[in-house]
Each structure stands twice: as structure tokens, then as C-alpha cells.
């Protein structure tokens, strides 16, 4: 009976560490997806700023059509800086954004809406380029670390399970 409990515990241990590895891999993929969605958001926002006369909050809400960017819609702020800070702070951690990503998003919002249309378009173009480099880095990190996390989770659990048995 005692051996069966050890085997069951070992199997559960291997399963849980493998699951942790898969979840870390999913976070890497989520980061890539979020950055790609934000890049699309910037393109849409650029078009809306160029051809629409609404205030900046409405333009952002119209541009945030991707479900990953739902944090940018549905708020009732009239002050843009409060609106942007609330939206950035409500981005779920499950997207796996790094501090550099958050800094880029915060910096983008600080200067948005403070200049004329041409200045805003130039600002968006600058941050599209910055975000593109972040996206390339996140894709490289996903390629390098995704399989590593999965395999490392499995083998870590296996080694610990063997030590217990």
C-alpha cells in the first residue's frame, strides 16, 4: 500500500512540474500575442487620429478592438493620464509582460494626446518601431525558452520523484 502511495505521489509530482513548465511557456506566448495586438492597436489608432476628430480616449476605445486590449475600453475617466494609468495597471500578469514592456506602454501614454495631429502620428510611429523591437525579442525568447521550460519541468519532477521512491 505504501509503494502505491509513493508511485501516485511521484506521478502527481511529475505532472505538476510538467504543468508548471507548460504554463511558463504559455506566458511567453501570451507576451508575444499581447505585443502583436498592441502593435495592431497602434496602427488602428494612427488611422483613427488621422481621420477622426473625437477626443483621444474615444479614439483609443475605438482602436482597442482586440479582446486582449479590453483594458483600454469601458472606463469613465475624463482625464487622459488617469485613464491610461488605470488601463496599464489593469493588464493581467498572465500576459507575461516584462518591466521593459510596461515602461514602453507607460511612456507611450505620457506623451499621447499632448501635441497636434502630426506630432501624435510621429509619436505613434516611434513607438511602433520600439514595440517592433520588443516583439522581435519576445519571439526569440519564446523560441529559445519554450521547449526548455517544458522539458525542464518534466525532468525536474522526474528526478525528484525518483529520489522519493
Amino acid at each position: 500500500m505504501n509503494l502505491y502511495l509513493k508511485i501516485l505521489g511521484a506521478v502527481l509530482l511529475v505532472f505538476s512540474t510538467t504543468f508548471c513548465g507548460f504554463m511558463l511557456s504559455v506566458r511567453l506566448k501570451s507576451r508575444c500575442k499581447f505585443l502583436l495586438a498592441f502593435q495592431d492597436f497602434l496602427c488602428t489608432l494612427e488611422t483613427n487620429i488621422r481621420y477622426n476628430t473625437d477626443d483621444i480616449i474615444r479614439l483609443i476605445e475605438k482602436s482597442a478592438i482586440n479582446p486582449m486590449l479590453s483594458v483600454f475600453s469601458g472606463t469613465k475617466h475624463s482625464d487622459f493620464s488617469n485613464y491610461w494609468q488605470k488601463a496599464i495597471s489593469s493588464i493581467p500578469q498572465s500576459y507575461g509582460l516584462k518591466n521593459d514592456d510596461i515602461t514602453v506602454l507607460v511612456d507611450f501614454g505620457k506623451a499621447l494626446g499632448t501635441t497636434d495631429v502630426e506630432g501624435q502620428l510621429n509619436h505613434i510611429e516611434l513607438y511602433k518601431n520600439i514595440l517592433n523591437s520588443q516583439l522581435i525579442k519576445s519571439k526569440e525568447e519564446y523560441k529559445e525558452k519554450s521547449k526548455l521550460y517544458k522539458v525542464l519541468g518534466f525532468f525536474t519532477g522526474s528526478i525528484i520523484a525518483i529520489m522519493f521512491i
Side-chain angles (χ1 to χ4, degrees):
M1 183 68 169
N2 196 12
L3 179 64
Y4 292 124
L5 286 176
K6 284 185 179 182
I7 292 173
L8 177 64
V11 169
L12 290 175
L13 181 66
V14 171
F15 176 75
S16 63
T17 56
T18 303
F19 181 74
C20 288
F22 272 90
M23 291 309 296
L24 289 172
S25 176
V26 166
R27 281 186 68 158
L28 290 175
K29 186 67 172 178
S30 294
R31 178 178 177 229
C32 292
K33 286 181 180 180
F34 183 86
L35 292 175
L36 189 60
F38 197 81
Q39 197 174 38
D40 291 342
F41 161 76
L42 289 179
C43 292
T44 307
L45 181 62
E46 182 178 30
T47 303
N48 282 335
I49 286 174
R50 188 178 310 255
Y51 299 112
N52 206 325
T53 58
D54 282 343
D55 66 334
I56 192 69
I57 294 176
R58 286 197 186 276
L59 292 175
I60 288 172
E61 288 178 346
K62 286 180 183 178
S63 302
I65 54 177
N66 190 310
M68 292 184 101
L69 302 174
S70 63
V71 296
F72 295 109
S73 60
T75 58
K76 301 295 181 204
H77 291 286
S78 59
D79 180 29
F80 180 73
S81 63
N82 288 337
Y83 169 82
W84 192 257
Q85 289 298 326
K86 181 172 174 46
I88 296 300
S89 65
S90 63
I91 294 174
Q93 287 186 345
S94 63
Y95 290 145
L97 296 179
K98 295 187 172 193
N99 288 336
D100 294 345
D101 301 331
I102 299 293
T103 303
V104 167
L105 296 177
V106 168
D107 291 346
F108 171 74
K110 282 182 183 176
L112 188 65
T114 59
T115 60
D116 62 345
V117 172
E118 195 60 38
Q120 290 182 47
L121 295 175
N122 290 336
H123 179 72
I124 290 172
E125 190 64 35
L126 170 69
Y127 276 89
K128 280 176 24 181
N129 292 333
I130 292 171
L131 213 62
N132 189 41
S133 67
Q134 294 287 99
L135 181 61
I136 290 169
K137 288 177 189 175
S138 72
K139 286 180 180 179
E140 288 173 0
E141 185 178 15
Y142 176 73
K143 285 180 184 177
E144 292 173 1
K145 294 183 180 178
S146 177
K147 289 180 183 176
L148 175 71
Y149 286 155
K150 294 173 188 175
V151 171
L152 193 61
F154 174 76
F155 283 118
T156 301
S158 299
I159 290 170
I160 294 171
I162 289 171
M163 289 174 43
F164 281 139
I165 292 179

